[in-house]
Amino acid sequence: MQTSVFVERIYQQLELELFEDIGRLIGSNLLITDGAYHWKVDPLLLIGELNQQQVKTIAKFAGMGQKELMNYIESVGLAEIKQIDTDLKPAFEAGRLTVVEPNQTLYRSLLALEQQATDLTNMINGRMLAGGEQVYRDIITQSSADVLVGRKTLQQSVVDTIKQWTNKGLPFLVDSAGRQWSLEGYVSTAIRATTKNTQNTIQENRFDDYEIDLVETSSHAGSRPDHTPFQGRIYSRSGNSKKYPPLSVTGYGDTLTGFATAINCRHRLYGYIEGLSTKRYEPYNKADSERIYKESQKQRYLERQIRRAKKQQAALEAMGANRDDIHQAKQLIQRRQKSMRDFISDTNRTRRYANEQVVI
């Protein structure tokens, strides 16, 4: 999963630099005369210049992100094949199963998944340009309205609007349910979805190769609450077993909420040969698992808040904001870092400093 995190970090840094591009262009167009800020030129005339700069910024990372994601998908697939064969080694040694070399269908599936990763990165790169332009236009529109009604000075309105956008994240897309996705949120979700799809595709193919019907589900603390009842148990993939329940009762196969197939689910299946396999997992205490799950969600939230505060500081510095505004941005980082320290102290969890960074 470390490679997956590295891919996410590439796009986090890219988002940071896109915000810096916006801040830098706005700052270079601000002119102060008679104690008040004015635009040197109509800021909407500079959209072409912004797009040119952001194309360069995206190009700097686009190839890296695509290459790393494709390599990651391939490594996930090959690791899954190796893991399943390793798990079934006792059956091979006992003569219950014979090693089957991966077939062409499996490798074609892996190549198709790698192509999906390429298509994903191309789509992401295209939408980022539109997101950057949307932020820039909103800053101009909002600041013009604020100055017109005398609500704020031009400088303060620009600063406040930049703060709002860095806290929300670069807008990426609006889904069919009307939810606005930020770049960071979408990339994280898309990479995790691609990873799960790869694991599940390879796993299903390999279980079919060995005609495996019974599977054991893994178990871990902090499982999402609706998955806790299905941990550490034996299921039948076909549903034909008279002794074990069908795997379908877990929601397996659903990419949103299904056990082992949902995007953020860390569970996996292990081939189980009755009379030979040793059961390795047991269910976790439900109350403890729910507590750990809530803590993990809170920690991820605090990590995002720290990253967003750092993007805010970077954008304001690129803009050339005044000393007080930059100082306030630094204080925001410090407050959010203190919230994290207090949380770690209260829960005794491990702090993940790398997840609080926005540079690779």
Side-chain angles (χ1 to χ4, degrees), residues 235-253:
Y235 295 93
S236 166
R237 294 174 64 223
S238 68
N240 295 329
S241 173
K242 295 181 179 179
K243 183 176 180 180
Y244 300 104
L247 182 61
S248 59
V249 302
T250 68
Y252 181 86

Side-chain angles (χ1 to χ4, degrees), residues 194-297:
T194 304
T195 301
K196 291 301 294 185
N197 191 19
T198 301
Q199 291 173 328
N200 295 331
T201 298
I202 299 301
Q203 189 174 75
E204 286 294 310
N205 273 275
R206 211 63 183 133
F207 284 161
D208 287 345
D209 285 342
Y210 289 115
E211 298 182 351
I212 298 288
D213 182 50
L214 299 181
V215 289
E216 179 184 0
T217 58
S218 64
S219 182
H220 63 80
S223 165
R224 50 190 290 175
D226 55 337
H227 286 185
T228 302
F230 307 122
Q231 295 193 115
R233 303 185 187 281
I234 309 297
Y235 295 93
S236 166
R237 294 174 64 223
S238 68
N240 295 329
S241 173
K242 295 181 179 179
K243 183 176 180 180
Y244 300 104
L247 182 61
S248 59
V249 302
T250 68
Y252 181 86
D254 189 319
T255 58
L256 294 178
T257 60
F259 185 93
T261 53
I263 294 172
N264 289 318
C265 181
R266 294 189 287 119
H267 291 105
R268 59 167 289 133
L269 308 181
Y270 295 87
Y272 187 82
I273 310 297
E274 189 148 36
L276 182 64
S277 298
T278 300
K279 193 168 181 299
R280 53 181 99 191
Y281 290 98
E282 294 297 334
Y284 268 85
N285 176 274
K286 183 178 180 180
D288 288 343
S289 187
E290 289 185 358
R291 173 182 57 79
I292 295 172
Y293 174 77
K294 290 178 181 178
E295 290 175 353
S296 69
Q297 296 300 298

Side-chain angles (χ1 to χ4, degrees), residues 21-84:
D21 289 342
I22 294 169
R24 195 174 295 113
L25 182 62
I26 288 176
S28 67
N29 193 35
L30 283 173
L31 178 68
I32 185 167
T33 56
D34 299 324
Y37 281 92
H38 306 277
W39 297 117
K40 293 180 183 177
V41 298
D42 182 347
L44 294 179
L45 296 178
L46 300 179
I47 288 179
E49 183 177 335
L50 174 69
N51 287 341
Q52 289 178 6
Q53 180 55 52
Q54 299 219 308
V55 165
K56 293 179 182 178
T57 302
I58 292 170
K60 184 169 63 173
F61 292 94
M64 185 192 306
Q66 186 175 87
K67 179 181 177 182
E68 288 294 334
L69 185 55
M70 287 186 66
N71 289 342
Y72 175 62
I73 294 305
E74 181 176 349
S75 68
V76 167
L78 296 178
E80 193 67 26
I81 294 171
K82 182 178 180 180
Q83 182 66 59
I84 291 172

Side-chain angles (χ1 to χ4, degrees), residues 11 61 92 116 214 220 253 336 339 351:
Y11 285 100
F61 292 94
F92 300 148
Q116 288 177 23
L214 299 181
H220 63 80
R336 292 182 176 180
S339 295
R351 187 170 179 180

